[in-house]
Amino acid sequence: MPLINNLENYLAKLETLPPFQKPLSDIPNEAYKLDVLDINESLNIGGKSIQLIGSLNIGPRIFVFNDPEDNTRDEEVDEHDIVQNKATEEEVLVVPNYDSHAIIQYGIGVSIKAGAPLEQLGFSLSGSAKVRACTYKLHPREHSLLKAATQDLKKFPWIFSLDELKNLKNNEVCTLEFAGELNSSLEVSWSDLYSGSLMGVSKIMKSASPIALEVDAGATIQFNFGIQDNFVLVIKRVSGSEFHFGVKKNKKQSLGASAQIGISASLAEKDQGVLEKVLDGLLEQYLQKAKAEINKVLAKANMQDLNAEQLETVEKMAEMVGLGPVANKFMEVKQRWESFLERLRNTIAQFVKAKIELGVSYEYSQIRTENCFLVGTLSESALENYHADLIKFKLRELLKDKSDGVVIKKFLQEKGYQRKRGFGFDLKVAQKGIGIDHDSSIEIIERYNEQIGFLHLVTKSDKSYEGEFFGETFKWTAGLQAETKGFVFSPKISDLSCQLHLGFEWSENKKLEKGEIKKIADTAVLWGLIKDYRRDLLIDKLTNELKNKSATDIHVDLKIEIPDDAFKSIIRAIDEVKRRSMDNYYSILSHALAACMFSGNSTVEQRIATHGQNFLLYLKNPHLDHPTIKAYGSQISMNHINHLNSAIDILVSRGGESCAPETVKKIIRGFNQFHNNIYRVKVLGFLMFHYARIIRQDEEIEPALKISYRKGNQEKVINVVRDYR
C-alpha cells in the first residue's frame, strides 16, 4: 500500500466534510478532490528499488459510483471507462451490483524516481516520469463514505504492490496510466511478409522478370516492437485465484504533453539467421545455383579456371553488382560481391522491419480507445511471475507463455495477429450458390491531451464487395486511412498522413482454370506488379502449379498499398494535370476505364485502342445523345468523377483549413463514391500507379500477389513481387 504520512490526521480532516458522514446509498455519483496525500515510498519491483512520490499535479481524488442511471458525471472522472453497467469480453470492467453495493474510485498521481536510470530498470517513460494509479473498491451501500474511506486508506491496495493486488476482493480493480512505450513481440509468417512486395529487392538484383518465391507456409519469424503512446493497464480479481488483465490506449493523454505516438520494430536476435536463408533463396532463384556452388565460383583464382556454366553464373553476378559485361572483370566481381550481399541483406531487413511497423500501426489505429487491445486471464502464480513486467508494460515474455496460467483472449485486433491476411479479411465460404455482399464504413477517433487545442485524429474507411458463384468466392476491398502524426495543435488538412489500400481476394476449392489464372495475371498487370509483355510468363508459371488437379484450397490475395508520401505526390500530380488540361486528365481516365472494364484476353494497349476513344467522348460530353456513347457512360457517371475531384481538391488546395471530422469524411466519401463497384476499385489502382510512374514515384508503391494452396498433404505459398525493369 502507499505509505501515507500522518494518515490519522488526514482521516480526521475527512470527518469534518459533510458528505463523508452520509451512507453511500445517499451520495450521488460525485467526485471529491482531497488535500494532497503525502506519499513517499520505495518498492522492490522486479528486483529493483523504485521510489514513488505523491504528486500535486495529478490527484488525489475520490469518486463514488452509486447510481447506474446517473449519466451526468464529468467525462474526466472515470477517464478509463472502467465502471460499466454491463460486462463485455472486449474489456476488463467493474460491474457493480448497485442493489447492495456502491463502488469508490481512488485516484492518485505519483512520480517515479530511482537510483539507476529508469531505462535500465525497464521503464520507458516519455513526456515525464509520472504515472496515475487508480483503485476501485466495493462497499455495502449502508456504509458511510467516511467508514469506507477509512478502511480503504488504512489498507489500500494499489497496482504497484503484488501482495496488495492479491488482497483485492472479487470484482475490484487496480489500474495504471502510463505514458511511454509498450514493448511486445509477435510471430509472423514469412509468406505473409512477402505478401507485401520485397520493395527494392527486385531493383537491387536487377531482375528482368517477376520474383516468384515458393515459401514454406509454416516458416515464421519473431519481431519485437514498441508502441509509443499513453496506456492504461487494468488488473481485476475475478474469483479465487483468477485475475483478468487488459491494456488499452487512453482516450485522453494526461501524463506529459510531449509523449508521442509511434511504432518501432526490430527482428528478434534469435531469428537474425533467418535473413541468411532468405538471402540464399533469392540468390539461388536468380542465379540457379545453390550457395555452395556460388562460393565455388568465387573461390576460383582467375577467369580462365571457370567452365562455361560458371562463366554464365559470373555474367549474372556481374550484372547484379553493376559491372555489365564480365570480360576481364572477374576480380572486380569478387571484390564487389560481399558488399552487394550486405546491401541486399540490409534491404531485406529494412523491408521486413517497415512491413511490421506498417502492419502494427494499421492494426493499432483501428482500435477504439474504449476497447482493450490486449485482454487475458492470469492465475495467481502467473500474476506473481509477470507483475513486474506488466507494470512496466513489457509484454514479450507473457505473450510467449503457453502454460495454463496465462490465457490471451485478444491481442490487437484479434487473437493471433499474424494470421490476418492482406487487408484484414478472411473469406467465409458458405453453401454453394450465387450472392454478393457490399459493406462500407467510415470511423473517426478523436483523442486529446492535457494541452488545449492538441488533437490526435484517426479516420479510417473500409469498403468491400464480396460474392460467391457456385463455390468460388471473391472479394474486392478498398480503404483510405487518414490520421495526424501524433498530437497536433489545431490540426489542418495538411497535417494528415494518408494511406490507400486496395485488394482483391479469390478462393477456390479446386484447381484454377486457365481463364481464372488470366484474370489474376491481368489485375497484376493493371496494378503495376508485372509488365504487360510478361503476363504470359506469369500465366505459364501459375498454370503449371494451379491448373493441376492436385492443387486444392486455393486462395489468391492481390493487393496494392500506397504509403503517405507517395499518395500525396500522386494526388498533387493528378491535380496538376487536371488544372493544366482537362483533356489530358480525361484522356488518362479514359485509358484507365478501357483497360480495367473490359476482358483481359487482349493486352492493355489493345483495350485502350479499342475502347479508350469512346470513354473519352463520354467524359468530354456526358450528355451526348448517341447510343454507343451512352453505353460507355453507363460504366461510370460524372457524379462519381466529381466526388473524386472534390476529395483531391480538399487535399491539395485546402491544406490550410481546419482538419474537422466532417471535412475528413468528405475526403473519404469522395474516394468511396468513385470506387463504388468492383471494376472501379481496379480503375483506382490503375490510375494511382499510372500517375506514380509519371512522377517517378512508382517504386514507392507496393503491389503484391500471394497465392496459398494445398498439394496433397502439403501447404504451399507462391509470392510474386514487383518487377522493376
Side-chain angles (χ1 to χ4, degrees):
M1 61 177 284
L3 298 177
I4 304 172
N5 296 329
N6 301 314
L7 177 60
E8 293 302 327
N9 292 338
Y10 190 83
L11 293 173
K13 285 184 182 180
L14 297 186
E15 288 185 34
T16 65
L17 301 175
F20 282 77
Q21 308 300 326
K22 296 180 181 179
L24 294 173
S25 58
D26 293 344
I27 295 177
N29 287 2
E30 193 167 341
Y32 302 93
K33 291 195 175 181
L34 309 177
D35 291 339
V36 176
L37 291 175
D38 182 11
I39 295 175
N40 191 328
E41 180 177 6
S42 293
L43 290 176
N44 186 292
I45 297 175
K48 305 292 184 180
S49 179
I50 303 294
Q51 188 179 21
L52 302 166
I53 300 173
S55 169
L56 172 65
N57 294 329
I58 45 176
R61 184 183 61 218
I62 288 178
F63 188 87
V64 179
F65 295 90
N66 184 43
D67 181 0
E69 304 303 323
D70 183 357
N71 296 316
T72 62
R73 63 177 184 258
D74 188 339
E75 187 183 65
E76 293 185 2
V77 171
D78 184 23
E79 62 263 54
H80 309 323
D81 295 320
I82 300 299
V83 180
Q84 298 290 337
N85 298 331
K86 189 181 295 185
T88 168
E89 289 294 316
E90 299 292 307
E91 286 275 25
V92 180
L93 303 171
V94 178
V95 184
N97 179 356
Y98 287 108
D99 291 336
S100 58
H101 286 77
I103 191 160
I104 303 177
Q105 175 208 33
Y106 300 87
I108 179 70
V110 294
S111 297
I112 298 179
K113 291 189 176 181
L118 290 171
E119 291 77 11
Q120 294 181 18
L121 304 179
F123 286 91
S124 301
L125 294 160
S126 66
S128 66
K130 294 176 181 177
V131 297
R132 182 170 181 80
C134 292
T135 297
Y136 297 77
K137 294 282 292 177
L138 288 167
H139 286 278
R141 288 166 59 84
E142 60 269 18
H143 283 189
S144 69
L145 178 55
L146 178 63
K147 179 178 180 179
T150 300
Q151 287 180 357
D152 292 338
L153 293 175
K154 283 186 174 180
K155 194 173 182 181
F156 184 68
W158 68 338
I159 202 164
F160 288 106
S161 172
L162 175 61
D163 289 337
E164 287 152 15
L165 271 179
K166 292 192 290 187
N167 287 329
L168 286 173
K169 298 175 184 176
N170 294 349
N171 204 26
E172 292 185 338
V173 165
C174 286
T175 69
L176 176 65
E177 181 185 347
F178 179 103
E181 185 174 71
L182 178 147
N183 288 284
S184 186
S185 62
L186 63 113
E187 194 172 66
V188 184
S189 163
W190 266 112
S191 63
D192 283 342
L193 281 175
Y194 284 132
S195 69
S197 72
L198 281 175
M199 189 167 62
V201 173
S202 304
K203 185 181 179 184
I204 289 175
M205 295 184 71
K206 297 180 169 60
S207 173
S209 62
I211 294 179
L213 298 169
E214 289 199 29
V215 184
D216 179 0
T220 59
I221 190 167
Q222 190 83 17
F223 272 87
N224 298 326
F225 67 88
I227 303 175
Q228 192 84 8
D229 205 343
N230 190 290
F231 305 101
V232 181
L233 169 67
V234 186
I235 298 178
K236 169 186 173 182
R237 178 182 282 280
V238 184
S239 62
S241 61
E242 185 177 284
F243 293 81
H244 285 176
F245 74 98
V247 179
K248 61 197 296 183
K249 54 186 176 184
N250 199 19
K251 65 183 176 183
K252 181 173 181 180
Q253 186 190 51
S254 57
L255 297 171
S258 62
Q260 296 298 305
I261 298 172
I263 309 292
S264 61
S266 62
L267 182 64
E269 188 173 343
K270 72 179 184 64
D271 281 339
Q272 291 288 339
V274 178
L275 287 180
E276 295 303 312
K277 293 181 181 179
V278 175
L279 184 64
D280 293 347
L282 287 168
L283 294 174
E284 184 172 348
Q285 177 188 264
Y286 185 73
L287 297 174
Q288 299 298 303
K289 290 286 183 293
K291 183 178 181 180
E293 295 177 80
I294 297 170
N295 289 339
K296 283 182 183 179
V297 172
L298 293 170
K300 298 293 184 181
N302 53 62
M303 203 162 175
Q304 287 70 32
D305 297 332
L306 302 173
N307 60 34
E309 187 177 343
Q310 290 172 331
L311 275 172
E312 185 180 344
T313 299
V314 173
E315 289 279 2
K316 291 181 180 178
M317 294 169 68
E319 184 181 3
M320 292 169 75
V321 300
L323 286 175
V326 76
N328 302 318
K329 294 181 180 177
F330 180 52
M331 297 308 294
E332 289 186 63
V333 172
K334 293 174 66 172
Q335 290 168 3
R336 292 192 186 187
W337 187 248
E338 280 305 315
S339 61
F340 167 75
L341 291 185
E342 187 61 24
R343 183 182 170 205
L344 188 56
R345 191 180 289 115
N346 290 339
T347 300
I348 296 170
Q350 287 301 312
F351 155 73
V352 293
K353 177 179 178 291
K355 188 70 180 173
I356 292 300
E357 289 176 356
L358 181 64
V360 173
S361 177
Y362 183 77
E363 291 289 326
Y364 188 63
S365 71
Q366 310 304 296
I367 302 165
R368 287 177 164 273
T369 54
E370 63 266 30
N371 292 331
C372 292
F373 59 83
L374 172 62
V375 178
T377 300
L378 297 174
S379 66
E380 191 167 295
S381 62
L383 179 63
E384 291 173 358
N385 291 337
Y386 294 111
H387 174 252
D389 284 349
L390 279 170
I391 63 174
K392 290 183 284 190
F393 287 80
K394 310 294 180 184
L395 306 178
R396 289 174 187 152
E397 297 305 314
L398 183 148
L399 290 171
K400 290 190 288 186
D401 192 327
K402 305 300 181 186
S403 68
D404 293 340
V406 178
V407 178
I408 305 300
K409 298 179 180 178
K410 175 186 177 184
F411 183 40
L412 292 177
Q413 277 293 78
E414 65 171 18
K415 183 180 176 183
Y417 160 79
Q418 66 273 18
R419 291 198 294 271
K420 290 180 75 66
R421 293 180 178 175
F423 196 33
F425 294 97
D426 284 316
L427 294 177
K428 296 177 175 65
V429 182
Q431 292 180 327
K432 291 185 178 182
I434 301 175
I436 189 163
D437 231 353
H438 167 255
D439 186 39
S440 180
S441 67
I442 299 176
E443 187 171 359
I444 293 180
I445 298 172
E446 297 177 75
R447 302 173 67 201
Y448 299 87
N449 68 14
E450 62 188 9
Q451 288 188 312
I452 296 173
F454 278 77
L455 171 68
H456 174 224
L457 181 71
V458 178
T459 307
K460 58 187 190 302
S461 72
D462 293 332
K463 197 160 189 175
S464 64
Y465 312 88
E466 184 173 6
E468 181 179 359
F469 187 78
F470 293 105
E472 168 195 304
T473 61
F474 61 88
K475 189 167 200 173
W476 289 86
T477 59
L480 180 65
Q481 178 182 337
E483 68 173 304
T484 58
K485 295 180 178 178
F487 289 92
V488 178
F489 176 73
S490 189
K492 308 290 191 293
I493 293 294
S494 58
D495 293 317
L496 287 175
S497 169
C498 300
Q499 296 177 39
L500 181 66
H501 306 256
L502 303 173
F504 166 53
E505 296 186 27
W506 188 340
S507 286
E508 181 75 82
N509 57 16
K510 56 180 176 56
K511 68 173 185 176
L512 291 184
E513 298 300 331
K514 190 70 172 281
E516 295 168 327
I517 293 172
K518 284 183 177 180
K519 289 179 185 177
I520 296 167
D522 187 61
T523 307
V525 171
L526 294 171
W527 283 2
L529 179 61
I530 62 171
K531 301 291 193 298
D532 203 356
Y533 67 91
R534 296 199 174 273
R535 178 209 315 256
D536 290 343
L537 177 62
L538 178 61
I539 290 172
D540 290 342
K541 285 186 176 182
L542 297 182
T543 299
N544 289 337
E545 281 293 308
L546 305 178
K547 199 170 181 293
N548 191 301
K549 288 184 179 179
S550 60
T552 59
D553 298 332
I554 299 168
H555 183 93
V556 178
D557 184 358
L558 178 61
K559 64 181 180 181
I560 184 169
E561 296 178 356
I562 304 175
D564 177 48
D565 288 343
F567 178 82
K568 286 181 177 176
S569 296
I570 292 167
I571 293 302
R572 284 193 291 269
I574 295 173
D575 185 71
E576 180 72 16
V577 169
K578 185 159 58 74
R579 289 178 184 277
R580 287 188 176 187
S581 170
M582 286 302 293
D583 283 352
N584 287 345
Y585 175 65
Y586 285 145
S587 177
I588 293 171
L589 181 54
S590 67
H591 288 184
L593 292 167
C596 298
M597 291 194 166
F598 288 91
S599 170
N601 290 327
S602 55
T603 67
V604 171
E605 287 79 3
Q606 288 169 341
R607 278 173 265 169
I608 290 172
T610 304
H611 304 286
Q613 189 60 33
N614 286 330
F615 273 119
L616 183 58
L617 286 172
Y618 167 75
L619 294 173
K620 287 185 173 182
N621 192 351
H623 303 294
L624 189 65
D625 189 13
H626 189 284
T628 301
I629 303 306
K630 282 185 176 180
Y632 280 89
S634 66
Q635 304 293 320
I636 188 167
S637 76
M638 294 306 296
N639 187 44
H640 300 138
I641 297 168
N642 290 337
H643 276 291
L644 180 63
N645 290 344
S646 175
I648 292 171
D649 181 64
I650 293 172
L651 285 167
V652 176
S653 303
R654 295 165 58 185
E657 293 185 15
S658 172
C659 187
E662 281 305 313
T663 307
V664 181
K665 281 184 181 179
K666 286 181 181 178
I667 296 170
I668 291 177
R669 284 175 181 149
F671 281 87
N672 282 357
Q673 286 294 323
F674 179 80
H675 60 62
N676 71 347
N677 70 19
I678 290 170
Y679 296 105
R680 287 198 292 277
V681 174
K682 200 188 300 186
V683 169
L684 185 59
F686 180 96
L687 280 174
M688 300 301 282
F689 189 81
H690 178 83
Y691 278 99
R693 199 158 41 202
I694 290 174
I695 59 174
R696 298 183 180 179
Q697 289 271 326
D698 52 304
E699 291 181 7
E700 304 305 314
I701 292 180
E702 301 183 54
L705 170 63
K706 173 186 171 184
I707 302 173
S708 57
Y709 59 104
R710 181 177 291 278
K711 248 189 178 179
N713 294 324
Q714 283 189 313
E715 289 187 11
K716 304 192 77 174
V717 176
I718 296 175
N719 291 275
V720 180
V721 296
R722 276 286 301 281
D723 169 10
Y724 285 88
R725 290 283 295 266

